[in-house]
């Protein structure tokens, strides 16, 4: 019985339970749910617990785009339920595997439908289609589903709402969790469909929908009448349930923390796990096209402000582009692509060849330019097309009501990308148009006049501008950790002096781990699938036994004596002090 | 003579009585000495071990391994030792201890008092198990606090040391706002009523000669009242010891070590896996 209920759609809330910014606590088949409507009207149905410490998300807050857990402020994005921010570590991008358990949702007949693993679509009831339906007050009953349905089959009601004038009722249909009754009186008909939500083994909610809402005063009378009759029915059912066998509560299994699947690498070492369709392509500025990409399969994974994706182009090239939209804003990625004068075929392909409706292969978003949300004030400095990651940051800071400025250096206002977004950001945007290199330096010098505590600067733009910013910031005594740069090219500088070698005893393979790459990444690049989860050295999932060599531990999982013993290593963060490590893989 | 009272300890019914001056007895509830009746301490023949320490009575259902942990500060003559609160919470004992060890929740749960946005960063700190005492210590903990104690007047980076000498008891040491060379001590002693029900006792040992007891208690109780709804909204209520059951991050070092330490001690009450 329970098995088949798992595969059905059930109502879990009424649409009216979900005003914007509210998080509704629901329950289905023993599992608690956090249900909330985002600003784009998407209804999120999530397991009601934060992945961190199991805190109910229904006591958290929604800002319309993200849900914030009340315990430690972890933020989860609309639609994907991926974690976008962990306040205890403002400088770090959360691991992509930190994603809440979600359930599908459909809004129909004024009800929110969901299920554990529902197949097909929620029920379509002819009587409720194209009609002025009226949702009755839902009635929670401490009784099992079957008992409630049995009593509902004998439900009698009045068409006019007059309790002394009960009509003759006939049943239209009944299935495992719903039934429909039509009452006839004086030539008039009224149909009510009852959906019974199995909350737990001994708890149900009756959700009734009338096919035709009466007009005027009769409407209120009808609602009151059903409310009274169903309340009476509840009392009878609950008394009967007390005499029935006592049922064990259902146990909803809580999944273990998801483990990152080993990445399947292409010969180039790059992975394009996602397929997207170009939803919209338009000229957003002089020489810049905007592209909106929509998933053609599973919903797109969560991205964080500052993140980029690899785009695999039809001509075989792979290019990185920053995402310009804020997390939680619809299930799409928005890119801005500038036609490079010296394009070797990347930007030219996107400008000239790729059209709306085309399918592209892209990687999951990665974030090497994470945004701290713990600054008292944030200054974003964009040069030309470098504005793209900063737009995502600016929208996030605005959504979080944090203080920020976006300084946008461009040739003319015709070169300003995404003017509609700039317009929305309003006074936080400061434009610097048509400046010479000297004038740009002067403007940067004024901006970076003196370091302020708890203030952070994010810069993205052409190489010379980044170099100038770096120099000016250093002269003005800004601490390195307060200035964040995004380089478009060569983000990983291999430092051979701090690299080391890993030998894999069981695989008879020796690999070089360069600086800037983790052991885990090198193993994956070479097709060795190692489980990992937090990728921060906290959970212990990616542990490997060390046979020889001295590890340089950087995790928090092993305790001091284990670290001293040097027999185990967390491959996601730890490295080697000795030139070589022999691992038991 | 004293009146026989009863409570639940680790799910077991325990009776106890006290007579002045300072004579205590505790035993597994026995119909021969019914709860609510007056009884002589001498009538208790098969008693449980009992201690009067730090303002509380302590007992054990088994044979305690050595003496109760020491709090040297408690005996310093110029300190004020205050029982601040006893609060029932519908959670497991280790969830309460883990919350006590946690700094990351300050800006969100104790907003404006122990933390405030945007100062949310938990900088790395040290955790070790003391080899001699087998106590868990978290040291070098620092957090920005707008009002760290009842005596605070402005925000500051506050240094903390946490100590877990007992699976269900923890102590927190922080620099006294009135004397920077000394530490205030706050203790959380938890009685497991059942696997997911506790009674939490808070004790203070402070350098503070100006505030009244009731002012200090009200401060501590308001802090605990902010933690209570969080603790009662964690699912599952028992603390999972499997590191993959929840998602630890770097700032959870003390919690990660605490869970491993409980595993190593063989604690099975209030945790998953349950005994």
């Amino acid at each position: 019985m329970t098995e088949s209920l798992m595969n059905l759609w059930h109502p879990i809330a009424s649409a009216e339970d979900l005003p914007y910014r509210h998080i509704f606590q629901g329950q289905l088949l023993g599992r608690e749910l956090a249900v909330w409507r985002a600003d784009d009207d998407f209804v999120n149905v999530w397991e009601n617990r934060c992945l961190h410490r199991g805190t109910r998300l229904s006591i958290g807050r929604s800002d319309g785009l993200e849900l914030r857990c009340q315990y430690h402020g972890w933020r989860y994005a609309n639609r994907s339920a991926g974690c976008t921010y962990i306040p205890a570590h403002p400088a770090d991008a959360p691991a992509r595997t930190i994603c809440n358990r979600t359930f599908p949702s459909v809004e129909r007949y004024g009800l929110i439908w969901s299920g554990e693993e529902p197949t097909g679509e929620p029920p379509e009831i002819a009587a409720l289609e194209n009609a002025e339906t009226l949702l009755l007050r839902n009635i929670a009953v401490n009784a099992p589903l079957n008992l409630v349905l049995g009593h509902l089959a004998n439900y009698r009601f009045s068409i006019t709402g007059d309790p002394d004038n009960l009509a003759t009722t006939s049943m239209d249909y009944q299935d495992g969790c719903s039934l429909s009754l039509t009452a006839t009186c004086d030539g008039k008909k009224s149909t009510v469909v009852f959906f019974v939500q199995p909350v737990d083994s001994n708890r149900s909610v009756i959700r009734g929908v009338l096919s035709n809402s009466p007009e005027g005063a009769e409407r209120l009378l009808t609602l009151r009448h059903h409310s009274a009759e169903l309340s009476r029915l509840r009392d009878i059912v609950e008394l009967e349930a007390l005499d029935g066998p006592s049922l064990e509560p259902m146990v909803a299994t809580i999944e273990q923390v998801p483990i990152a699947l080993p990445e399947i690498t292409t010969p180039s070492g790059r992975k394009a796990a996602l397929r997207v369709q170009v939803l919209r392509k338009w000229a957003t500025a002089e020489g810049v096209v905007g592209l909106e990409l929509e998933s053609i399969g599973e919903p797109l994974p969560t991205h964080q402000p500052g993140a980029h994706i690899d785009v695999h182009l039809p001509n075989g090239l792979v290019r990185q582009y920053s995402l310009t939209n804020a997390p939680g804003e619809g299930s799409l990625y928005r890119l801005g692509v500038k036609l490079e004068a010296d394009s070797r075929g990347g930007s030219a392909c996107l400008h000239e060849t790729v059209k709306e409706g085309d399918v592209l292969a892209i990687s999951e978003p990665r974030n090497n330019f994470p945004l701290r949300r713990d600054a008292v004030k944030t200054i974003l400095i964009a040069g030309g097309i470098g504005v793209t990651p900063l737009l995502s940051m600016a929208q996030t800071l605005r959504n979080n009501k944090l203080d920020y400025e976006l300084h946008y250096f461009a040739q003319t206002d015709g070169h300003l990308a995404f003017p509609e977004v700039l317009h929305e950001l309003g006074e936080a945007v400061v434009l610097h148009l048509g400046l010479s290199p000297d004038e740009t330096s002067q403007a940067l010098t004024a901006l970076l006049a003196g370091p302020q505590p708890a203030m952070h600067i994010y810069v993205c733009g052409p190489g010379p501008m980044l170099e100038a910013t770096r120099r000016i910031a250093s002269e003005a005594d800004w601490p390195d950790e307060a200035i964040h740069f995004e380089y478009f090219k060569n983000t990983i500088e291999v430092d051979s002096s701090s690299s080391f070698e890993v030998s894999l005893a069981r695989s008879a393979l020796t690999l070089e781990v360069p600086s800037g790459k983790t052991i885990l990444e090198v193993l994956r690049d070479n097709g060795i699938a190692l489980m990992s989860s937090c990728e921060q050295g906290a959970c212990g999932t990616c542990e490997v036994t060390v046979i020889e060599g001295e590890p340089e531990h950087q995790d928090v999982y092993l305790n001091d004596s284990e670290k001293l013993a040097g027999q185990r290593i967390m491959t996601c963060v730890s490295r080697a002090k000795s030139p070589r490590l022999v691992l038991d893989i | 003579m004293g009146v026989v009272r009863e409570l639940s300890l680790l799910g077991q019914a325990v009776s106890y009585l006290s007579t002045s001056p300072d004579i205590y007895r505790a035993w597994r509830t026995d119909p021969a000495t019914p709860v609510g009746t007056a009884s002589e301490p001498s009538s208790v023949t098969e008693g449980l071990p009992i201690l009067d320490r730090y303002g509380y009575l302590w007992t054990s259902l088994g044979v305690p391994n050595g003496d109760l942990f020491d709090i040297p500060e408690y005996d310093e003559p110029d300190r004020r030792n205050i029982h601040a609160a006893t609060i029932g919470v519908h959670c497991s004992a280790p969830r309460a201890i883990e919350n006590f060890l946690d700094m990351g929740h300050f800006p969100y749960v104790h907003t404006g008092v122990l933390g405030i946005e945007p100062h949310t960063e938990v900088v790395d700190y040290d955790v070790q198990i003391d080899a001699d005492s087998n106590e868990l210590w978290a040291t070098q903990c620092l957090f920005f606090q707008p009002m760290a104690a009842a005596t605070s007047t402005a925000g500051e980076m506050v240094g903390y040391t946490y100590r877990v000498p007992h699976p269900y008891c923890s102590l927190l040491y922080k620099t006294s706002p009135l004397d920077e060379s000394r530490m205030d001590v706050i203790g959380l002693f938890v009685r497991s009523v059942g696997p997911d029900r506790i009674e939490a006792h808070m004790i203070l040992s402070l350098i503070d000669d100006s505030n009244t007891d009731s002012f200090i208690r009200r401060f501590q109780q308001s802090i605990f009242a902010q933690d209570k709804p969080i603790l009662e909204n964690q699912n599952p209520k028992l603390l999972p010891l499997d590191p993959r059951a929840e998602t630890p991050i770097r700032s959870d070092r003390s919690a990660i070590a605490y869970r491993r330490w409980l595993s190593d001690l063989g604690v099975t009450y209030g945790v998953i896996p349950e005994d």
Side-chain angles (χ1 to χ4, degrees), chain A residues 49 51-56 68 70-72 86-89 92 256-257 259 372 374 556-557 562, chain B residues 95 98-99 102 105 108 117-118 120-122 233-235 242 244 246-247 250-253 255 260:
Chain A
R49 56 188 299 277
L51 293 165
H52 181 212
R53 292 280 175 89
T55 311
R56 283 195 175 95
R68 195 191 84 175
Q70 194 60 25
Y71 197 0
H72 295 94
I86 296 177
H89 299 302
D92 300 346
Q256 286 213 319
V257 173
I259 287 187
R372 298 178 69 111
D374 67 337
V556 294
Y557 181 76
E562 286 165 339
Chain B
R95 286 275 193 202
E98 202 172 90
N99 177 68
D102 182 81
H105 73 287
Y108 299 95
E117 287 184 274
T120 58
E121 182 161 19
V122 179
N233 276 292
Q234 280 178 279
N235 176 21
D242 178 346
R244 274 178 47 209
E246 293 180 349
T247 308
R250 285 207 312 285
S251 59
D252 294 327
R253 257 197 106 151
R260 297 196 71 198

Side-chain angles (χ1 to χ4, degrees), chain A residues 150-204:
Chain A
H151 281 264
L152 280 173
N154 300 318
Y155 183 71
R156 296 289 172 270
F157 62 100
S158 154
I159 289 179
T160 54
D162 173 5
D164 296 329
N165 192 11
L166 296 187
T168 324
T169 314
S170 64
M171 188 183 296
D172 308 314
Y173 83 88
Q174 176 174 357
D175 64 19
C177 354
S178 73
L179 57 83
S180 167
L181 301 169
T182 297
T184 316
C185 186
D186 304 335
K188 280 171 40 179
K189 280 191 173 190
S190 175
T191 298
V192 63
V193 183
F194 289 113
F195 304 103
V196 183
Q197 170 190 354
V199 172
D200 206 330
S201 51
N202 198 40
R203 285 160 63 206
S204 310

